[in-house]
Amino acid sequence: MTRPARVVVDLEAAQANLKRVRQAAPGRRVMAVIKADAYGHGLVSMAQALAGAEAFGVACLEEAVVLRDAGIRHPIVLLEGPFSSQELHEIRRLDLDTVIHDREQVRMLDALPDGRPLRLWIKLDTGMHRLGFPAEGFRALWRHLVEHRGVARPLRIMSHLASAHEPDHASVAVQLGVFNAVTQGIAGERSMANSAALLAWPETQLDWVRPGLMLYGVSPFAGRTAGDLGLQPVMSLVSGLIAVRRVPAGESVGYGGSWRCPEDMPVGVVAIGYGDGYPRHAASGTPVLVAGRRAALIGKASMDMLTVDLRPCPEARVGQPVVLWGPGLPVEEVARCADTIPYELLCAVRGRVRFHDQVAG
Ligand SMILES: *Cc1c(COP(=O)(O)O)cnc(C)c1O
């Protein structure tokens, strides 16, 4: 028997989630965001599953190279743009699209030798103050680029929202207002919406939507589950019981002895830990599914193992499957128990946990 820890990726669920995007944003083009190894789901297999999208968004050239090497011919957008002028050459060679968000990148573009014009997304900072050109001076910059011989036309314009995941956050309307005012009368396709925005703020959908999280079947909102939103979880993190013990009342379990048994009780040991991406900050009480039944983490997860209170499933035996998150146990719930967001948990899963793509049979 091999170590049972593994990730199962349900590609059909991802396809259903893309359909849900289409339903929520009819008539818009979709840039499926698959940065960070498709949020930990596996870059190439997710790109193949989401081939119905009009484009893909990635964080860096290395991710785009992996996609092109795998034969993905879609438009691929580098969301942070080139990190050096050498990368601009590669962007042209690999026929990639890129965001431009900084003067330094414009200088790189100005210095690029003649060749096929590049397809650009100009990023406007409408208030998030992470990436993007400030509103002031944006029109002059736009004029510079629209007349640039190295740049394909029409230019496209994007911005990113800081708080679309919070219901009724005033900043969303403010950012959209800035975007519309600054880009008024400018020709070219526009994009603002991430998953939260495209679901909660349809007025931000514009020409292109840029969903990430919802494609993986996870809710971007604290108060609404994926099920409420018609989304299906794509990733399951699973392992198995490798020991079942009876621990006497008053004894502690695991490193530091932070959790003490209130009575004589069955304790299960699961072959998964922070070395696989399970969050060490998950609190005692974080749910896990043992053979389909809810049980609770006790003590702190260690590198390769964690311990669970088996009192709700006294019949549990070594070898039985354990789900850390997946259908029946939303990663959103585990994230709350670990004082983090589901994005971080999904991206953290990698390394020795083997990937198993599950395709509809
Ligand atoms: C990551 C990212 C997205 C996707 O955001 P989700 O919240 O996962 O939908 C969209 N646009 C940009 C620029 C991003 O960096």
Side-chain angles (χ1 to χ4, degrees):
M1 194 184 128
T2 52
R3 186 167 184 264
R6 65 189 191 279
V7 170
V8 179
V9 175
D10 182 348
L11 299 174
E12 228 199 10
Q15 286 163 349
N17 295 332
L18 178 58
K19 282 210 188 89
R20 178 72 186 98
V21 169
R22 299 259 180 230
Q23 190 186 51
R28 321 291 173 157
R29 264 162 279 187
V30 176
M31 183 194 305
V33 178
I34 53 174
K35 63 196 179 191
D37 201 24
Y39 293 40
H41 292 68
L43 185 59
V44 171
S45 55
M46 284 305 292
Q48 287 163 344
L50 298 172
E54 281 78 15
F56 294 119
V58 298
C60 59
L61 185 64
E62 288 82 351
E63 293 175 331
V65 168
V66 170
L67 292 173
R68 284 285 185 256
D69 284 351
I72 308 281
R73 308 309 326 161
H74 284 64
I76 301 174
V77 183
L78 300 186
L79 293 171
E80 292 162 33
F83 297 108
S84 67
S85 26
Q86 182 53 39
E87 288 202 348
L88 266 186
H89 290 273
E90 289 298 294
I91 287 167
R92 187 187 263 161
R93 190 176 69 79
L94 294 166
D95 196 24
L96 305 173
D97 299 11
T98 185
V99 167
I100 291 281
H101 62 78
D102 184 81
R103 294 269 164 199
E104 188 53 39
Q105 292 172 330
V106 177
R107 277 190 286 275
M108 293 176 199
L109 202 61
D110 291 346
L112 191 70
D114 284 350
R116 190 158 43 78
L118 291 169
R119 286 183 307 273
L120 298 188
W121 283 93
I122 312 179
K123 190 158 190 180
L124 171 66
D125 178 9
T126 53
M128 180 160 173
H129 303 320
R130 193 177 58 180
L131 295 185
F133 295 99
E136 204 186 312
F138 186 81
R139 284 189 162 252
L141 173 87
W142 181 80
R143 268 194 304 277
H144 173 70
L145 289 174
V146 89
E147 288 162 6
H148 204 295
R149 55 207 295 221
V151 174
R153 276 165 295 274
L155 288 169
R156 284 162 294 178
I157 310 167
M158 69 183 282
S159 189
H160 199 47
L161 293 162
S163 300
H165 57 286
E166 290 179 38
D168 307 322
H169 202 285
S171 71
V172 178
V174 172
Q175 284 195 258
L176 182 62
V178 170
F179 189 86
N180 287 336
V182 173
T183 64
Q184 200 188 11
I186 287 181
E189 291 160 12
R190 289 157 164 72
S191 176
M192 281 196 106
N194 60 1
S195 301
L198 85 86
L199 288 168
W201 308 87
E203 63 273 37
T204 66
Q205 288 175 355
L206 307 176
D207 300 302
W208 286 81
V209 293
R210 308 192 306 267
L213 194 68
M214 71 182 286
L215 291 172
Y216 308 101
V218 177
S219 169
F221 309 112
R224 289 158 84 189
T225 66
D228 293 344
L229 298 168
L231 300 171
Q232 302 174 24
V234 176
M235 182 195 286
S236 307
L237 181 63
V238 303
S239 190
L241 278 178
I242 57 166
V244 175
R245 338 268 320 271
R246 279 210 82 83
V247 182
E251 290 294 306
S252 65
V253 177
Y255 282 124
S258 65
W259 199 88
R260 217 166 266 287
C261 297
E263 59 183 314
D264 290 1
M265 56 180 271
V267 169
V269 181
V270 183
I272 199 133
Y274 62 78
D276 305 294
Y278 190 87
R280 188 176 169 278
H281 290 293
S284 285
T286 302
V288 303
L289 296 180
V290 176
R293 281 225 163 140
R294 255 174 193 250
L297 176 75
I298 56 180
K300 282 266 175 253
S302 47
M303 190 182 294
D304 316 306
M305 287 174 275
L306 52 80
T307 45
V308 294
D309 177 352
L310 289 179
R311 284 176 295 175
C313 23
E315 70 294 345
R317 282 177 290 102
V318 169
Q320 283 185 324
V322 177
V323 174
L324 289 313
W325 60 72
L329 179 49
V331 67
E332 294 95 312
E333 195 176 338
V334 179
R336 263 196 306 283
C337 295
D339 198 21
T340 186
I341 53 175
Y343 297 82
E344 190 182 27
L345 297 189
L346 298 176
C347 291
V349 170
R350 46 190 63 230
R352 68 180 163 188
V353 188
R354 289 160 293 131
F355 276 79
H356 292 249
D357 293 324
Q358 178 180 300
V359 196

